[in-house]
């Protein structure tokens, strides 16, 4: 995308806020709009937008969108359904919180994404190792750790956008999560049309509006539990994992056009005509080692329902014995179907044909 910019101002460290401010000050003219797709850049982008009169969410909303502790507090104060949670710093505080909430719990950093620094702790004996693992991923030691009750049930995300304080849902996406101590999302199926879709969507929209998120895309993660929808987190950006491409193919509308419209202060163009569904599924290794290659590619390319395939790891990649975050996923397929269930079934049948091969 930077190659398309008519003005480029290189920076050494994109996540150094002082350096970003100096780069902003070197802009020769006020931009017509501003946007970002990085969680880490939400706050400096919001500050720049406020200073220069550009459309974007407020700095407060940007902070609530990326700081998991502040977000939990705001959602709880708004009376919205969240997992029970506690903030901690020390191992003793984490142990006390886990005992209070009851095992199993989720221990995670409040300043990471993509399941980095997120561990399921099934019992007290696992806590010390989990604490050390999560501590090692913290970016800012002033931001506390989160201990949350583990919630169970189907997981979904809601894609949408907010314009002038009104939220529009684009679609609901059904998730597949890798079981085990590191809950990593490995699958998506959309548009989900189940009987609880409207209830899930309403909860997600209430959450985004409670944070004051505006003039941006939203990606809200929700579990449907026995007590109803429970909010995992609100993200003020587009979803990853090719979901935007899947939405465009199925709806006939490009969600990135919505993002650009919002940034430029225009009314978003969103008039979808949904046709069929798509599902994406990742392959993850069942063992560790040095990846030598992936077999089965010609066979997968012959699958009639295949609409996409890609690879995140290549020969020579060193993989742990058990995937720890999304960076340890290997490759993915996307298959189409008449609805999300058929598409998901085809992806589940196709993805295992991609077989990782390890060096001896």
């Amino acid at each position: 995308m930077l190659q398309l910019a008519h003005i480029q101002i290189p920076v050494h460290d994109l996540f150094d806020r002082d350096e970003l401010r100096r780069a902003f000050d070197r802009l020769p003219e006020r931009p017509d709009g501003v946007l970002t797709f990085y969680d880490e850049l939400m706050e400096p982008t919001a500050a720049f937008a406020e200073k220069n009169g550009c459309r974007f969410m407020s700095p407060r909303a940007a902070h609530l969108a990326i700081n998991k502790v502040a977000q939990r507090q705001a959602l709880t104060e708004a009376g919205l359904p969240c997992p029970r949670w506690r903030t901690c710093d020390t191992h003793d505080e984490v142990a006390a919180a886990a005992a209070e909430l009851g095992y199993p719990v989720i221990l995670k950093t409040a300043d990471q994404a993509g399941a980095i620094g997120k561990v399921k702790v099934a019992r007290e004996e696992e806590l010390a190792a989990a604490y050390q693992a999560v501590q090692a991923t913290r970016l800012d030691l002033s931001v506390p750790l989160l201990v949350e009750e583990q919630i169970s049930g189907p997981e979904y995300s809601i894609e949408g956008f907010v314009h002038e304080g009104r939220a529009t849902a684009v679609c609901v996406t059904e998730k597949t999560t890798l079981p085990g101590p590191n809950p990593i999302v490995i699958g998506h199926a959309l548009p989900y049309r189940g009987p609880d879709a409207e209830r899930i969507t309403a909860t997600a929209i209430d959450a985004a509006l409670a944070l004051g998120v505006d003039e941006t895309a939203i990606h809200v993660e929700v579990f449907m539990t026995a007590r109803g929808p429970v909010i995992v987190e609100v993200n003020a950006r587009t979803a990853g994992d090719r979901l935007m491409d899947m939405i465009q193919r199925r709806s006939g509308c490009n969600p990135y056009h919505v993002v650009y419209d919002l940034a430029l202060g225009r009314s978003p163009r969103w008039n979808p005509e949904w046709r069929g569904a798509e599902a994406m599924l990742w392959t993850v290794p069942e063992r560790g080692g040095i990846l030598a290659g992936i077999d089965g590619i010609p066979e997968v390319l012959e699958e009639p329902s295949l609409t996409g395939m890609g690879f995140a790891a290549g020969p020579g990649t060193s993989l742990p014995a058990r995937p720890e975050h999304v960076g340890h996923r290997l490759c993915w397929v996307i298959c189409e179907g008449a609805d999300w269930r058929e598409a998901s079934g085809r992806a589940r049948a196709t993805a295992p044909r991609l077989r990782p091969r390890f060096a001896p």
Side-chain angles (χ1 to χ4, degrees):
M1 187 176 295
L2 183 60
Q3 294 175 351
L4 302 178
H6 75 284
I7 299 173
Q8 298 184 22
I9 301 179
V11 294
H12 294 292
D13 184 355
L14 191 58
F15 304 119
D16 183 324
R17 296 191 180 189
D18 290 334
E19 188 174 1
L20 277 182
R21 280 191 287 268
R22 290 193 293 270
F24 291 152
D25 290 341
R26 297 201 304 273
L27 284 171
E29 57 185 313
R30 174 189 173 277
D32 295 313
V34 60
L35 60 86
T36 183
F37 299 103
Y38 284 96
D39 289 330
E40 299 90 341
L41 298 181
M42 289 292 173
E43 288 189 280
T45 302
F48 175 83
E50 183 178 60
K51 178 180 177 181
N52 291 274
C54 297
R55 284 289 190 99
F56 199 66
M57 75 187 90
S58 69
R60 177 181 181 274
H63 176 70
L64 294 177
I66 65 167
N67 185 293
K68 294 183 176 67
V69 174
Q71 183 177 123
R72 277 277 179 267
Q73 185 67 43
L75 294 175
T76 301
E77 290 176 354
L80 292 168
C82 298
R84 292 182 300 129
W85 59 279
R86 299 290 183 271
T87 58
C88 307
D89 280 308
T90 67
H91 177 274
D92 288 346
E93 291 173 347
V94 170
E100 177 189 354
L101 297 174
Y103 290 94
V105 296
I106 301 296
L107 174 62
K108 61 184 180 182
T109 61
D111 58 357
Q112 283 279 18
I116 298 173
K118 179 180 178 180
V119 178
K120 173 185 172 182
V121 187
R123 50 189 176 274
E124 184 178 359
E125 293 76 14
E126 299 175 3
L127 187 61
Y131 176 78
Q132 292 300 324
V134 172
Q135 274 284 86
T137 68
R138 294 175 76 176
L139 298 176
D140 184 351
L141 294 179
S142 69
V143 178
L145 299 174
L146 268 174
V147 181
E148 298 178 341
E149 66 169 325
Q150 183 190 4
I151 51 178
S152 58
E155 184 177 0
Y156 305 92
S157 70
I158 295 78
E159 326 311 332
F161 59 91
V162 186
H163 175 54
E164 296 181 344
R166 292 188 297 178
T168 298
V170 168
C171 74
V172 179
T173 304
E174 185 180 55
K175 303 294 186 184
T176 300
T177 303
L178 186 71
N182 301 99
I184 302 167
V185 173
I186 59 170
H188 316 270
L190 63 83
Y192 172 75
R193 306 287 196 193
D196 49 3
E198 289 188 7
R199 193 177 176 194
I200 294 167
T201 299
T203 299
I205 285 177
D206 287 345
L209 295 180
L211 301 183
V213 170
D214 204 359
E215 306 304 335
T216 185
I218 55 173
H219 168 70
V220 185
E221 299 169 8
V222 174
F223 273 84
M224 177 54 81
T225 72
R227 66 178 190 257
V230 174
I231 303 157
V232 178
E233 62 183 43
V234 179
N235 300 281
R237 55 166 172 77
T238 54
D241 264 6
R242 306 283 175 166
L243 264 68
M244 298 298 100
D245 298 336
M246 295 163 66
I247 289 171
Q248 180 179 1
R249 284 192 292 268
R250 295 302 119 191
S251 71
C253 290
N254 189 335
Y256 285 115
H257 289 172
V258 171
V259 175
Y260 299 143
D261 284 339
L262 292 171
L264 293 170
R266 301 189 298 226
S267 295
R269 296 164 290 173
W270 182 252
N271 299 292
E273 295 182 5
W274 291 93
R275 293 184 176 87
E278 288 193 5
M280 178 184 196
L281 190 64
W282 283 85
T283 295
V284 293
E286 296 181 354
R287 49 158 287 192
I290 304 300
L291 186 67
I294 295 176
D295 298 327
I297 296 173
E299 179 184 357
V300 168
L301 288 173
E302 294 177 359
E303 167 58 42
S305 67
L306 187 75
T307 62
M309 178 173 64
F311 304 87
T317 301
S318 178
L319 297 165
R322 183 169 52 199
E324 298 170 357
H325 52 73
V326 295
H328 295 147
R329 301 179 300 183
L330 297 181
C331 49
W332 51 265
V333 299
I334 298 176
C335 294
E336 62 182 356
D339 62 16
W340 85 96
R341 291 165 296 200
E342 183 176 73
S344 183
R346 288 174 174 174
R348 291 176 188 278
T350 303
R353 300 177 198 170
L354 295 172
R355 302 177 300 276
R357 176 169 29 89
F358 291 88

